[in-house]
Amino acid sequence: MHLRTRIMCANPPAAELKGRKFPHDFIWGIGTSAYQIEGGWNASGKGESIWDHLTHTYPEKIVDQTNGDVSSDSYHQWQRDVQMVRDLNVHVYRFSISWTRIMPGGYMNKVNNEGIRYYSDLINELLHYNITPMVTIYHWDLPQRLQELGGWTNPEIIPVFKDYARLLFEMYGDRVKIWTTINEPWHICEFGYGVDYMAPSYNYPGIPNYLCAHNLLKTHAEVVHMYRDKYQQLQKGKIGITMDTSWMEPKTDSDDDREASERALQFYLGWFAHPIFSKRGNYPQIMFDRIHNLSKEQGFTRSRLPEFTADEIRRIRGTADFFGLNSYTTKRVTKNDHNNSKNFPVPSFSHDMGVVEDQDPNWTGSGSSWLKVVPKGMYNLIMWIVREYNNPPIIVTENGVSDNGGLADYGRVDYLNSYLSAILDAIEDGANVQGYTYWSLMDSYEWKVGYTEKFGLYHVDFNHPNRTRTPKVAAKVYAQICQTNTIDWTYRPTLDEFQINAMAQLPEIEVDAKSGANTIFAALTSRSWHSMTLLLLIVNYLLRI
């Protein structure tokens, strides 16, 4: 039985337990973002970002009413971070730069030398250990002062962002060889402006999200052209953009559900990928048609989706050296009916798309209600990109799974093996996937859910002043994958004495029954590790003798 029909389970046939190898030049990486890990929110001249503003002004919008003021404290613990990256045997460390740490108000009139030095030291330390920095220029933490001008809905963002990017190329371009302009534009525009979710939390559906995307795409293009015209030949780097989507699985084999799947992929991914990677450029035709027609029905005098000029279409098309892809899970989709039975706001992105999403209750859950483990979806998504955009060079810039805490994260081990198997299937079927970056290096601030969900390969003790980091089981597994270039399902290391002692210091893990983690394993691991430590130490000792 071919892997594509069986990677849904964590136990592949014995013949394939060991030895599935990736191409010899495959790039292995690990990722983080500035607001999630750095802390030091106002240290050494840093300015206020939209996430600082949101979490300080409206703490009730965060599940546990926390913020990223200290988080994993990577502003002070960056050398430990580099050691962790080294221990994982990865080639690449993907991190983002905090705009307000470099330019506190967002403009060039005030540049913070302490911020410049912080990232320079980090980059130098990585290079010292032959780790390639992959720098994200923008990962959601817009300067608050620019948001007060309208943020991404104001075309003023284009020259201001270009100044910011120019400064980064000037300061770091001699050492940084992989750049990503913007991380997950769909989240920036729809979750930031269309609904009340991510900062700036506009909750203004159907209009500012499209203005945001329009300016964002033009900003991205201007930065790429600037890099190619002035820096790329000398600095010899690559530049791209990272987009995100789940795989949109038709709920049934009906024509309507297949059409819903295609429409959802065009709205989620094509909205940003089509202008850059398609042969003709511009937005997907289905977005033009639906938003134009619905805008007219709703009484608007013009489409809510702005139009690019012919020159802008040409200038945006082709502005990426690689296709950065973030994907974690799969959704099932079917069409919304003409009566809007799903009761989407009118107008809104969801109503414009006209697709109803859910997930199969039988799919394996995680520590996040939205994240189900469906490896086949990753294969399907990559092959859709291959067909839609003529097989561009793809780097999976984020993929990972959450849990509720602890070090014995065998669910994460299974997720890694199964999703990497799906990616390897795609490569063997012709997809030009050049690299993979696991998300994330360590537990950190997870935006709207605060510290309640854990994605890291390293546990962080958020109660310790040093934010002590401890490797989880999956860190050992990923380190071996990166070192051997091989998926080995049989490698399931047990906790060593250091990890068991560290686990004894952990508080009880709270398991939220609504999160989908209410399994027998979750119930067992939710018990206090203090009461289990002696037993674990004895078992570990007996195994060794």
Side-chain angles (χ1 to χ4, degrees), residues 364-508:
T364 301
S366 69
S368 306
S369 60
W370 57 272
L371 204 170
K372 308 299 181 186
V373 182
V374 193
K376 181 66 182 298
M378 178 61 92
Y379 171 86
N380 290 338
L381 177 58
I382 290 171
M383 299 312 293
W384 185 88
I385 293 168
V386 168
R387 294 188 300 271
E388 189 72 10
Y389 303 119
N390 195 29
N391 202 8
I394 297 170
I395 300 176
V396 177
T397 39
E398 285 183 30
N399 173 249
V401 71
S402 62
D403 58 25
N404 300 104
L407 303 180
D409 56 342
Y410 293 101
R412 183 169 288 111
V413 171
D414 292 336
Y415 182 97
L416 257 172
N417 287 330
S418 58
Y419 271 73
L420 286 173
S421 295
I423 291 168
L424 189 49
D425 279 344
I427 292 171
E428 291 174 352
D429 284 350
N432 188 14
V433 183
Q434 298 183 351
Y436 174 89
T437 301
Y438 182 80
W439 188 270
S440 65
L441 175 60
M442 70 193 108
D443 295 339
S444 61
Y445 187 73
E446 286 300 331
W447 310 109
K448 285 282 282 192
V449 298
Y451 298 100
T452 63
E453 298 173 10
K454 317 293 187 183
F455 280 84
L457 293 180
Y458 283 78
H459 172 271
V460 177
D461 183 352
F462 293 105
N463 295 312
H464 194 284
N466 292 336
R467 298 305 195 263
T468 307
R469 288 102 154 99
T470 306
K472 305 177 186 180
V473 167
K476 295 182 179 181
V477 173
Y478 190 55
Q480 175 163 296
I481 290 170
C482 297
Q483 184 176 46
T484 64
N485 229 26
T486 303
I487 302 167
D488 180 359
W489 286 83
T490 67
Y491 183 57
R492 300 178 73 80
T494 56
L495 294 172
D496 59 31
E497 193 167 337
F498 169 75
Q499 290 172 309
I500 292 171
N501 288 332
M503 197 167 354
Q505 309 304 315
L506 303 185
E508 290 193 16

Side-chain angles (χ1 to χ4, degrees), residues 41 73 92 215 274 335 398 409 433 466 489 492 543:
W41 82 273
D73 198 28
V92 167
N215 290 324
H274 203 274
K335 283 185 179 179
E398 285 183 30
D409 56 342
V433 183
N466 292 336
W489 286 83
R492 300 178 73 80
L543 287 171

